[in-house]
Amino acid sequence: LKNFEYLIKIENQIQFAKVMAINKIGEDNILITPMSHLNQSKGIIRSESLKYINDEDLKEFLREAGVLEFQRFLRKGTPNTGEQGTKPGLANSGTFLLTFDSPQRPEKIILHREQFIVKQFVQRPLQCKKCHAYGHIAKSCEKPQ
């Protein structure tokens, strides 16, 4: 990777346990940390009914479905009475980004006695605000404005 960091791909739990037990290579002490973002997947669900469930209850329902985190997408507009997670001038869109605890996102999940299709989440590419090129950010940009 960079700065003397290495990425090691693990095939199974036995390999994982062996690699995690290593703390020295030769005379050098080493630190091994799992890269959680490589062991997770993201997906999108849409639901009108989930807009009205508060975050704590929704977090509990989602945890049972193997979801680590969730994010509500908001849109411009006036929220309906009872919508959760809104802000002034923003309404709940009924679209949720879910982070799953496995590298493969499930095709569907069941929440609150309702089945949802989990669609693939495609993240926007990095775009520099300085030169407007893709693949890097302004902080690391060496091109002119």
Side-chain angles (χ1 to χ4, degrees):
L1 300 173
K2 61 181 178 177
N3 299 330
F4 301 103
E5 293 178 344
Y6 297 90
L7 177 64
I8 301 170
K9 185 176 181 182
I10 305 298
E11 298 291 329
N12 56 48
Q13 288 295 330
I14 295 169
Q15 283 183 356
F16 177 76
K18 287 180 180 178
V19 168
M20 290 304 290
I22 299 171
N23 56 17
K24 267 190 172 206
I25 295 181
E27 298 295 316
D28 297 324
N29 291 327
I30 62 166
L31 174 65
I32 297 177
T33 346
M35 296 184 78
S36 60
H37 72 279
L38 295 177
N39 297 313
Q40 297 172 350
S41 57
K42 293 188 181 232
I44 298 281
I45 62 169
R46 290 183 173 82
S47 167
E48 286 298 311
S49 61
L50 294 180
K51 288 171 37 170
Y52 300 95
I53 298 177
N54 70 47
D55 285 356
E56 289 305 313
D57 290 341
L58 188 55
K59 191 182 289 187
E60 190 59 38
F61 294 139
L62 291 168
R63 188 177 301 125
E64 294 169 10
V67 174
L68 299 172
E69 299 172 6
F70 77 94
Q71 177 185 341
R72 295 176 190 263
F73 288 145
L74 303 177
R75 60 175 169 69
K76 287 182 181 179
T78 307
N80 295 324
T81 305
E83 276 187 17
Q84 300 293 310
T86 61
K87 296 178 181 174
L90 297 174
N92 193 326
S93 69
T95 303
F96 299 83
L97 172 61
L98 308 179
T99 303
F100 295 95
D101 62 359
S102 66
Q104 263 325 92
R105 80 177 153 79
E107 294 295 316
K108 50 186 143 181
I109 59 172
I110 297 174
L111 298 173
H112 201 55
R113 292 173 262 151
E114 194 174 344
Q115 182 172 294
F116 300 95
I117 294 173
V118 181
K119 296 188 176 181
Q120 181 180 2
F121 171 68
V122 180
Q123 190 161 356
R124 289 183 182 173
L126 287 176
Q127 185 176 17
C128 179
K129 292 181 179 178
K130 182 179 173 187
C131 72
H132 300 289
Y134 290 99
H136 66 275
I137 57 174
K139 185 177 178 182
S140 62
C141 184
E142 297 174 359
K143 296 179 183 176
Q145 183 80 22

